[in-house]
Amino acid sequence: MAQGPSPPPPPPPPPTNGDKTQKTSDIIGTLRPTKLFKLSKPDTYVTSLDFDDEGQLLIAACSDSSLQLYSARDGTHQKTLLSQKYGCHLARFSHHSQSVIYASTKVDDTIRYLSTHDNNYLRYFKGHSAAVTDLVPCPRDDTFLSCSADNTLRLWNLKSQYPQARLNLATPYLAAFDPSATVIAAASASTSSILLYDLRNWDKPPFATFDMQPYDPPGSNNIPEWTKLEFSNDGKSLLVTTNHGQGHLLLDAYNGELKAHLPRPYQPTWGILRSAPSATPAKSPLGQGDTSFSADGRYVIGGSGADRDAVVWDTQGHVSKEGKREVIRPMCSLPCDRGKAAIVLWNHRFNMMATADTEVIMWLPDEHVGMKPL
């Protein structure tokens, strides 16, 4: 006997909260600490943070010469990797989530390429004769930049132990790739300038130089304390994170003009901020700056300048005139009573972030709270 057509399949289940795509603007003010990881000793500091390309893993370099690996997706600690002989700082994932590069802090100034899977070294990058102050992986391929107190900036490839190129510059302590990986920005603290190079014409002079001296703190004759250099994901802005009381510098990435100062709500006191590479001797533990762009390039998340909380600046927000300065004040506070945000990093794959000082904290949006104004 012939059978009729089979019934249609049941409709798919409704999407869960985990399947929703949320705009950064909808959740930025609701981020709250959700997971806290203590370090081995109370006097151990995190000196750098980095997420892998997929946003699944987080690695922290610590002052006790250890690398701490966490699952950002599960909110769990994965493993501890020790570098007791050479120390570690500025740990950065390669485009392979099971390998990292990091700078040595003891014995020599070699950059080490480590497999986190079996804790074996894959390669050593030797050449710097003073402390490495910044490591910047290229967003497009397996090359990376290294900055050093030996007054050189070098371009490396993970496949070779020898540098591909080298620039001799005065105090090139910080660098950044633009999102297209065709432009390199190098920050020279002693000359108060930012130099832009075309990666395809590395041997040519910079095609643009931004004079930052007009934005140095009034009455300051010291080298500016810059701690991080970062392009926004849309390539329109360049952020110079500073330890200055007047705040961070938000620049137009095309012409170097100052869009606005981003001041912290509290004037930092001694010991709140990490030492800038230009600070000699170091005033506090090493760090990598206390700000980060959100994935959409609109918001900057950073430390408050106090011993607690983080804050958010809206780069498209109201710009006020305060004396001779153009200023964007923080739009809201992200409360946290478990320690200061000495290092801040946004996860560009998921709406979450991490902060660290003597603990590592993961932050997620909380739909049950509202934005906390300052």
Side-chain angles (χ1 to χ4, degrees):
M1 181 176 178
Q3 294 183 353
S6 58
T16 62
N17 288 338
D19 296 325
K20 290 181 179 179
T21 300
Q22 297 173 304
K23 290 183 178 180
T24 306
S25 57
D26 294 337
I27 59 89
I28 190 71
T30 67
L31 288 164
R32 297 294 184 270
T34 57
K35 199 75 177 182
L36 181 146
F37 302 94
K38 294 185 176 181
L39 302 179
S40 59
K41 298 178 182 178
D43 59 350
T44 298
Y45 293 88
V46 174
T47 65
S48 71
L49 291 173
D50 193 46
F51 287 105
D52 73 335
D53 281 359
E54 300 302 318
Q56 305 276 355
L57 298 173
L58 174 70
I59 194 162
C62 302
S63 61
D64 64 353
S65 301
S66 73
L67 297 167
Q68 303 296 332
L69 187 65
Y70 304 92
S71 169
R73 185 177 183 87
D74 301 330
T76 56
H77 179 261
Q78 297 286 292
K79 64 173 66 175
T80 297
L81 305 163
L82 298 178
S83 183
Q84 299 288 3
K85 182 177 180 180
Y86 301 104
C88 55
H89 182 39
L90 300 170
R92 305 287 186 246
F93 280 102
S94 71
H95 293 300
H96 191 291
S97 60
Q98 291 188 327
S99 61
V100 297
I101 55 173
Y102 67 87
S104 306
T105 58
K106 296 184 288 187
V107 180
D108 59 23
D109 302 294
T110 299
I111 300 164
R112 301 177 188 276
Y113 183 23
L114 176 73
S115 166
T116 60
H117 173 66
D118 54 14
N119 201 23
N120 284 325
Y121 289 113
L122 304 174
R123 189 162 284 112
Y124 306 97
F125 304 97
K126 299 182 179 181
H128 285 301
S129 58
V132 173
T133 56
D134 203 4
L135 285 178
V136 189
C138 177
R140 183 180 58 191
D141 54 31
D142 286 334
T143 57
F144 68 93
L145 296 170
S146 65
C147 302
S148 172
D150 65 6
N151 294 320
T152 67
L153 186 154
R154 304 181 189 218
L155 178 69
W156 310 80
N157 191 300
L158 291 176
K159 299 182 178 75
S160 172
Q161 63 180 321
Y162 303 106
Q164 291 188 325
R166 163 177 166 168
L167 288 175
N168 296 315
L169 301 172
T171 60
Y173 292 154
L174 302 170
F177 282 101
D178 82 319
S180 68
T182 58
V183 174
I184 293 171
S188 171
S190 64
T191 63
S192 289
S193 60
I194 296 175
L195 301 90
L196 300 188
Y197 292 87
D198 185 338
L199 185 58
R200 296 159 296 189
N201 297 289
W202 179 275
D203 56 335
K204 302 290 177 58
F207 66 84
T209 300
F210 301 157
D211 181 13
M212 304 297 291
Q213 192 166 8
Y215 314 131
D216 288 346
S220 173
N221 296 318
N222 299 322
I223 296 177
E225 293 194 20
W226 300 339
T227 57
K228 186 177 181 180
L229 191 64
E230 183 183 9
F231 282 97
S232 59
N233 265 357
D234 58 11
K236 296 179 180 179
S237 299
L238 182 62
L239 179 66
V240 183
T241 304
T242 83
N243 281 352
H244 303 153
Q246 65 181 11
H248 316 298
L249 305 174
L250 183 67
L251 307 178
D252 185 306
Y254 298 110
N255 56 29
E257 291 183 2
L258 182 69
K259 293 183 176 181
H261 287 90
L262 308 182
R264 300 176 179 88
Y266 304 100
Q267 283 291 337
T269 56
W270 187 90
I272 291 293
L273 304 178
R274 298 298 180 84
S275 280
S278 59
T280 306
K283 301 176 183 177
S284 55
L286 297 172
Q288 66 174 33
D290 64 338
T291 66
S292 183
F293 270 116
S294 61
D296 60 2
R298 174 174 176 175
Y299 301 97
V300 173
I301 305 92
S304 67
D307 59 358
R308 57 184 175 82
D309 298 355
V311 293
V312 179
W313 292 269
D314 182 354
T315 64
Q316 299 177 14
H318 173 68
V319 179
S320 60
K321 190 78 171 179
E322 299 183 10
K324 296 181 179 180
R325 297 190 303 149
E326 305 285 336
V327 172
I328 296 177
R329 292 284 173 182
M331 61 177 276
C332 68
S333 173
L334 304 178
C336 176
D337 59 0
R338 295 302 302 269
K340 62 178 179 282
I343 298 172
V344 178
L345 188 65
W346 185 266
N347 187 327
H348 287 268
R349 287 284 184 175
F350 301 101
N351 277 331
M352 69 168 294
M353 72 172 188
T355 61
D357 184 38
T358 56
E359 297 164 329
V360 175
I361 300 175
M362 294 182 184
W363 301 61
L364 289 172
D366 185 344
E367 61 183 10
H368 302 293
V369 302
M371 187 179 297
K372 182 182 177 183
L374 284 165

